[in-house]
Amino acid sequence: MTSDPTKAPFGSVFGENLPISYYDGESWSDPVVVPIDSVTFGPATHALHYSSECFEGLKGHRQPDGTVKMFRPQKNITRLRNSTERLFLPKPPVELCESLFGLAVEHNAEVTPDPPGSLYVRPTIIGTEHNIGAAGRPSRTAAFYVITSPVGEYLPPHALRIVVETVHPRTTPQFGVVKSGANYAMALSPLLAAKRDWNADQVLFAPGGLIEETGAANFLLIDEGHVLTSALSEAFLHGVTRDSVLQVARSLGWKAEERDVSIDELREWAARPTGEMALAGTAAILGGVGELVLEGEIVTVGTGQTGPTTTMLRTMLTEIQQGLRPFTFR
Ligand SMILES: Cc1ncc(COP(=O)(O)O)c(C=O)c1O
């Protein structure tokens, strides 16, 4: 890796060392660390045809003592294991997850940028059976590997413009909670339409008028001393960032609500002078929303800029991740 990876587009540069374990139909092999370029899968691989794949996304942050520490990896391990259940992939034991995640960070620590950069960690499980006749059954074999990518700070260059989609869901209701590639493919059509028609950055899915999440992040309504977000359901991904922001807000004595949020409430919140909204996810932590496109009209959110409360929460979470601010998550 010669040029500065923090200047490259997010996720386009990879750590060279890839921990991997294979499932042979009965058990998982002991993890080995191999060069990322040495791994190959055939064109008939089950995952490539029948979407038997799931993944995770978390970050390792360099701490003041020089070590690299992942942020709340147990949450990603739980979510990954839940995803395998829904996809009928073999469910890896927690110890195997810990071992593969840990090896990924250990063997790529040298290329981990200093803060505000970090090591993005992408655990992946795919069905590997080489058989295009297996549409109606799970893959008998699988691979579990952890890609790493040194990344710079990921901050949206401007307050985001978000189209609110009130008819179609992001994916099927029972699959929103699964982190699988097909969900992202399904969200592409509304996302590309929002970019083309409104020059928007993302889509907020609110089927039936109730808010769920955006194409790649959870959604928060923020005000002075107050965070509001939709209550967890099977229909959307249970984000680690969402949970972390709620816990930080509660520790400050703020009101942190998880309940149904309607389009009407969204409109009312946007009209408040101190009303803020943000996308919450691992990549950007919090991305401020400046405008909504609601029922064909552009609605300014608060001042139209990323708000001070959003910025404060983002700074606090960043400091916790980088080991600069002590915090114990539940
Ligand atoms: C669809 C979707 N929702 C929510 C999130 C936020 O999850 P997390 O905070 O764990 O990154 C993500 C990913 O980052 C996502 O892809």
Side-chain angles (χ1 to χ4, degrees):
M1 212 179 296
T2 44
S3 55
D4 181 356
T6 64
K7 303 275 188 299
F10 188 96
S12 63
V13 176
F14 303 107
E16 278 167 21
N17 302 311
L18 186 92
I20 188 162
S21 168
Y22 293 95
Y23 184 79
D24 63 4
E26 285 180 5
S27 59
W28 291 96
S29 64
D30 287 339
V32 286
V33 180
V34 299
I36 190 167
D37 294 339
S38 70
V39 176
T40 54
F41 297 107
T45 296
H46 196 276
L48 298 178
H49 296 265
Y50 305 121
S51 284
S52 52
E53 76 90 36
C54 54
F55 64 96
E56 270 307 320
L58 67 163
K59 281 179 179 168
H61 302 270
R62 197 173 291 288
Q63 305 294 294
D65 67 1
T67 57
V68 178
K69 188 173 170 204
M70 284 175 280
F71 182 64
R72 306 189 71 194
Q74 294 300 336
K75 296 285 285 180
N76 299 87
I77 289 175
T78 304
R79 199 166 67 184
L80 182 65
R81 295 177 81 241
N82 288 342
S83 293
T84 58
E85 261 181 35
R86 298 292 171 102
L87 294 160
F88 295 92
L89 279 161
K91 189 174 182 174
V94 170
E95 303 73 48
L96 177 64
C97 300
E98 287 171 347
S99 167
L100 287 165
F101 284 34
L103 286 167
V105 170
E106 184 190 328
H107 286 265
N108 297 285
E110 241 171 61
V111 297
T112 302
D114 287 335
S118 60
L119 189 69
Y120 182 75
V121 178
R122 169 59 64 90
T124 310
I125 300 181
I126 63 169
T128 51
E129 189 174 333
H130 212 233
N131 180 354
I132 50 170
R137 64 169 176 79
S139 175
R140 293 194 173 108
T141 58
F144 179 3
Y145 52 86
V146 183
I147 303 169
T148 53
S149 175
V151 294
E153 186 175 32
Y154 183 74
L155 252 185
H158 50 256
L160 304 167
R161 177 183 284 184
I162 306 292
V163 170
V164 185
E165 167 58 62
T166 55
V167 178
H168 301 292
R170 170 177 172 256
T171 176
T172 55
Q174 72 277 23
F175 251 69
V177 74
V178 181
K179 200 159 167 74
S180 184
N183 284 345
Y184 296 82
M186 279 187 260
L188 275 182
S189 170
L191 178 57
L192 295 183
K195 285 182 194 271
R196 183 192 62 222
D197 298 344
W198 292 99
N199 196 23
D201 300 287
Q202 252 301 346
V203 174
L204 172 62
F205 292 92
L210 286 182
I211 287 161
E212 289 180 349
E213 64 174 340
T214 69
N218 294 124
F219 194 81
L220 304 178
L221 292 83
I222 299 171
D223 201 340
E224 289 164 348
H226 191 179
V227 177
L228 167 63
T229 192
S230 307
L232 295 177
S233 79
E234 299 281 284
F236 69 90
L237 200 73
H238 300 183
V240 181
T241 316
R242 169 194 178 281
D243 179 76
S244 304
V245 170
L246 288 171
Q247 289 200 41
V248 168
R250 286 183 186 128
S251 79
L252 297 169
W254 294 7
K255 187 168 168 187
E257 288 185 283
E258 298 172 77
R259 59 167 172 78
D260 282 354
V261 183
S262 70
I263 297 299
D264 290 343
E265 187 157 17
L266 201 64
R267 203 182 273 286
E268 180 270 316
W269 201 283
R272 299 179 183 188
T274 55
E276 302 179 23
M277 297 179 193
L279 271 52
T282 293
I285 306 178
L286 288 177
V289 175
E291 290 168 329
L292 299 173
V293 180
L294 248 178
E295 289 155 343
E297 261 177 62
I298 295 179
V299 174
T300 302
V301 177
T303 63
Q305 303 303 319
T306 298
T309 311
T310 300
T311 304
M312 177 192 165
L313 284 168
R314 186 180 190 278
T315 304
M316 285 185 75
L317 205 53
T318 307
E319 290 173 356
I320 293 166
Q321 293 176 336
Q322 295 169 358
L324 301 172
R325 179 187 283 271
F327 194 89
T328 307
F329 289 99
R330 271 188 296 108

